[in-house]
């Protein structure tokens, strides 16, 4: 048994210096003992195995299935008023479809993922409107809006993937898509509510997006201007 010469704390046989005051340990009667003795704690760190994608997928599927299933049973047996579990089912399907490309099929095409997302949103909308029997809202506004958003998202994904990609060009695609989306949303709402089509607030958005787009196109077409922007924004 050794003790620290400075603070008197009891030392393990493997200690090369005092754990309290860091005074080097050297016992003249037993030189080299510290090098031979095993430390009282493990020297190697055990690596934690990363979670497998497949296991995550199973977890996601089971959780969403269980949620939808349990809510369905509760709806039938306990809280019988209305068909609220259908909305939960729609939300579970949407959640699964949204997370599926992240968790299960990492290599899935972006276009397919967006298409599935759009379909899942339509399904959720149907589940919301189906119990209420409000079919006009679903077909007249819900589906066209979902189709519009999906279409614009697909177009944006196509531009980012296939056309030149830089800070300026992606900004150009983004503001063009945002302008189109706002105009489309307003036209669809107008058509559903009033039966007439007229641009209002979205005209303002379109104007702003148009001005920004013209600025981006000018910067892209003038090499000197483009280089100035690139140097100032560091990309
Ligand atoms: Zn000490």
């Amino acid at each position: 048994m050794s003790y620290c010469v400075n603070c008197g704390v009891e030392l393990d046989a493997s200690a090369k210096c005092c754990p309290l005051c860091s005074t080097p340990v050297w016992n003249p009667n037993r030189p080299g003992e510290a090098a031979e003795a095993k430390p009282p704690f493990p020297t190697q760190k055990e690596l934690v195995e990363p979670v497998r994608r497949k296991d995550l997928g199973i977890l996601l599927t089971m959780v969403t299935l269980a949620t939808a299933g349990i809510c369905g049973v509760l709806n039938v047996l306990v809280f019988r008023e209305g068909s609220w579990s259908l909305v939960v089912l729609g939300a579970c399907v949407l959640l699964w479809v949204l997370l599926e490309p992240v968790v299960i099929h990492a290599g899935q095409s972006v276009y397919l993922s967006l298409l599935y997302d759009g379909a899942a949103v339509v399904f959720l909308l149907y589940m919301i409107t189906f119990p209420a029997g409000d079919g006009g809202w679903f077909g007249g506004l819900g589906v066209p809006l979902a189709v519009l958003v999906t279409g614009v998202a697909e177009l944006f994904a196509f531009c980012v993937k296939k056309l030149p990609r830089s800070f300026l060009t992606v900004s150009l695609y983004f503001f063009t898509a945002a302008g189109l989306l706002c105009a489309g949303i307003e036209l669809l709402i107008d058509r559903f509510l009033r039966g007439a089509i007229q641009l209002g607030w979205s005209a303002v958005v379109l104007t702003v997006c148009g001005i920004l787009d013209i600025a981006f196109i000018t910067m892209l077409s003038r090499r000197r201007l483009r280089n100035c922007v690139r140097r100032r924004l560091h990309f």
Side-chain angles (χ1 to χ4, degrees):
M1 194 71 69
S2 305
Y3 296 90
C4 175
V5 289
N6 183 44
C7 68
V9 78
E10 188 182 322
L11 297 168
D12 186 78
S14 68
K16 292 191 177 80
C17 63
C18 170
L20 268 189
C21 67
S22 301
T23 304
V25 175
W26 189 71
N27 188 338
N29 293 335
R30 283 181 273 180
E33 183 191 56
E36 289 158 18
K38 277 189 180 167
F41 43 81
T43 49
Q44 273 188 324
K45 266 193 221 165
E46 197 69 37
L47 283 179
V48 180
E49 205 182 335
V51 182
R52 296 230 179 126
R53 199 171 275 281
K54 195 181 158 201
D55 297 339
L56 270 180
I58 291 173
L59 182 68
L60 171 70
T61 309
M62 289 318 286
V63 168
T64 44
L65 265 182
T67 311
I70 292 169
C71 286
V73 172
L74 279 178
N75 197 182
V76 172
L77 299 177
V78 189
F79 308 106
R80 295 189 196 178
E81 233 159 85
S83 325
W84 54 271
S85 63
L86 289 180
V87 179
V88 178
L89 174 68
C92 285
V93 169
L94 178 60
L95 184 72
W96 191 87
V97 169
L98 282 179
L99 290 179
E100 178 260 349
V102 184
V103 176
I104 304 171
H105 299 114
Q108 184 172 285
S109 115
V110 179
Y111 307 120
L112 261 184
S113 301
L114 286 172
L115 199 65
Y116 292 153
D117 293 347
V121 170
V122 169
F123 180 66
L124 174 62
L125 287 177
Y126 184 68
M127 286 294 136
I128 293 172
T129 47
F130 172 73
D134 181 22
W137 183 89
F138 172 73
L141 189 60
V143 175
L145 274 181
V147 170
L148 172 74
V149 175
T150 310
V152 172
E154 297 272 10
L155 194 67
F156 181 67
F158 174 81
C159 290
V160 172
K161 274 179 89 85
K162 299 285 175 194
L163 301 182
R165 187 176 2 176
S166 72
F167 176 76
L168 284 174
T169 53
V170 172
S171 307
L172 176 67
Y173 309 147
F174 177 79
F175 283 103
T176 309
L180 282 178
L181 192 64
C182 289
I185 288 174
E186 185 174 25
L187 290 180
L188 284 176
I189 293 176
D190 269 8
R191 198 192 59 134
F192 178 69
L193 291 181
R194 292 188 298 207
I197 289 175
Q198 206 200 340
L199 281 183
W201 57 269
S202 66
V204 180
V205 181
L206 266 182
T207 311
V208 174
C209 289
I211 293 169
L212 284 171
D213 279 353
I214 290 171
F216 290 133
I217 291 170
T218 314
M219 283 187 241
L220 282 167
S221 58
R222 312 298 302 178
R223 186 201 293 262
R224 233 176 328 168
L225 211 52
R226 195 173 64 215
N227 287 340
C228 278
V229 175
R230 186 171 291 156
R231 254 179 255 126
R232 273 162 186 73
L233 294 178
H234 306 290
F235 61 86

